Amino acid sequence: MSGGGYDLLSSRTVEVPELRSFLLDTFAVPETGLFVAPADRVDEELRDVPQDLVFAAFCTFEPVEGHFATTLTVGVDTNRARHVGHLDFATRFATHFKAMVLYGDAEPPGLWTVILADGTRLLATLDEDDDRVTLTTATAPVPELPEVAVDAGL
């Protein structure tokens, strides 16, 4: 089994049925091959699932504060699920759910990629304090967050 993973922050909380539908479509996995649950309920949700069962895609989420509403973690068995690049996944999520998405892949140290609901990409710096994540600076204006400073030279 080979795997891949995706971590992102979303400005919008997504209900489980909507999230399941999006992940099933994105990774082309069968309903029985997908697990989705809040991070604090994983053990409870898996209580009656055979321990040797391996899901094609496994997603957990939990709330955060600040400019984002939730953090999402997805693990994928790339032998049983469609391969989707990190940027493609984050862009699909942002545009599908009309959310601002933050993720990291190959940015310079200290910078993160922000994808706006229309698919526009920016680089940004963050302030993280416990479960509170706020953008501090971005390479272009963030329409939903006029208080975020703009520095095109990031």
Side-chain angles (χ1 to χ4, degrees), residues 7-64:
D7 293 301
L8 60 82
L9 294 172
S10 169
S11 62
R12 178 176 174 241
T13 300
V14 178
E15 297 298 322
V16 171
E18 291 178 284
L19 183 56
R20 285 189 69 79
S21 178
F22 170 77
L23 294 170
L24 289 167
D25 181 57
T26 299
F27 296 112
V29 297
E31 182 76 32
T32 57
L34 175 64
F35 177 85
V36 178
D40 63 351
R41 294 181 41 98
V42 170
D43 290 342
E44 182 179 331
E45 296 285 332
L46 291 175
R47 183 180 51 239
D48 297 326
V49 175
Q51 288 189 355
D52 61 345
L53 178 63
V54 177
F55 292 96
F58 191 96
C59 175
T60 61
F61 56 91
E62 58 189 322
V64 292

Side-chain angles (χ1 to χ4, degrees), residues 67-136:
H67 292 150
F68 298 92
T70 191
T71 181
L72 183 81
T73 300
V74 182
V76 177
D77 178 346
T78 55
N79 290 323
R80 298 187 302 144
R82 174 188 301 140
H83 173 73
V84 178
H86 290 108
L87 174 59
D88 188 23
F89 179 75
T91 302
R92 286 180 191 210
F93 191 97
T95 58
H96 182 85
F97 292 113
K98 303 298 183 222
M100 179 177 63
V101 167
L102 178 122
Y103 87 105
D105 191 19
E107 300 83 0
L111 296 179
W112 298 87
T113 296
V114 175
I115 302 174
L116 304 178
D118 67 0
T120 301
R121 285 185 288 162
L122 313 170
L123 288 177
T125 59
L126 301 178
D127 182 25
E128 295 180 81
D129 185 21
D130 294 324
D131 288 339
R132 183 173 187 77
V133 181
T134 55
L135 299 179
T136 53

